[in-house]
Amino acid sequence: FRRVLFRSEVLTAIGLLGALWAVISDIKRGRITNRNVGTIAVLGLAARLAGGGWASVWWGLLGAFVCSAAVALPYRWARLGGGDAKLVVALGSLIGPVASVYMVAFATALGALHALQALRSQSHRSTAPVAIRLAPAICFAAAVGAVVGSEI
């Protein structure tokens, strides 16, 4: 049991460090690069392989598929940026399908609250679109999802 718990903590730490890197990039430049999300996905799947074998890798890929399905329409309808969508999918490969459901739910709620706050603080006469940085919400939601849906 202790060995499984340690593996879970290592996977969560890898994901949070990668997500923190993406958050800094999103806040600083307004972009989440392919290098950011690719690194998260590769390290996450490698850690899954080392910690739980091929069955764990397939579980991680199922998490990425669940996240892909969850972000497909918001991305298609231009309600979610490409970097944010890729970040969600990369973190899904790290935390698995059950935790991914929690992550998407929390990220949606946090993103909606952030959007309401941004719109409220925008000038009433401004017609410019409001840029909403979702990486911090996604990162926090991934941590909460990993803890709540701790099936890693």
Side-chain angles (χ1 to χ4, degrees):
F1 177 74
R2 183 165 174 77
R3 186 178 219 182
V4 172
L5 181 61
F6 175 73
R7 288 180 188 157
S8 174
E9 291 169 350
V10 169
L11 287 173
T12 302
I14 289 170
L16 292 179
L17 287 175
L20 180 62
W21 181 23
V23 166
I24 292 168
S25 174
D26 191 27
I27 291 171
K28 191 173 181 181
R29 295 183 210 104
R31 296 191 68 216
I32 301 171
T33 64
N34 290 341
R35 185 177 298 172
N36 290 98
V37 295
T39 301
I40 294 168
V42 168
L43 288 176
L45 292 175
R48 281 191 162 279
L49 179 62
W54 288 105
S56 184
V57 171
W58 285 109
W59 196 243
L61 291 174
L62 183 59
F65 177 77
V66 166
C67 288
S68 295
V71 300
L73 288 178
Y75 173 73
R76 177 81 170 125
W77 293 334
R79 300 295 183 254
L80 182 67
D84 296 321
K86 291 182 288 187
L87 178 61
V88 170
V89 172
L91 287 170
S93 72
L94 178 73
I95 63 177
V98 175
S100 291
V101 171
Y102 289 107
M103 177 183 66
V104 169
F106 288 127
T108 301
L110 290 172
L113 289 174
H114 183 57
L116 287 173
Q117 186 274 331
L119 289 172
R120 189 171 151 237
S121 66
Q122 183 184 24
S123 170
H124 294 289
R125 295 190 177 135
S126 175
T127 58
V130 177
I132 299 172
R133 308 285 187 236
L134 291 177
I138 294 168
C139 176
F140 181 74
V144 170
V147 170
V148 174
S150 59
E151 39 68 48
I152 305 174

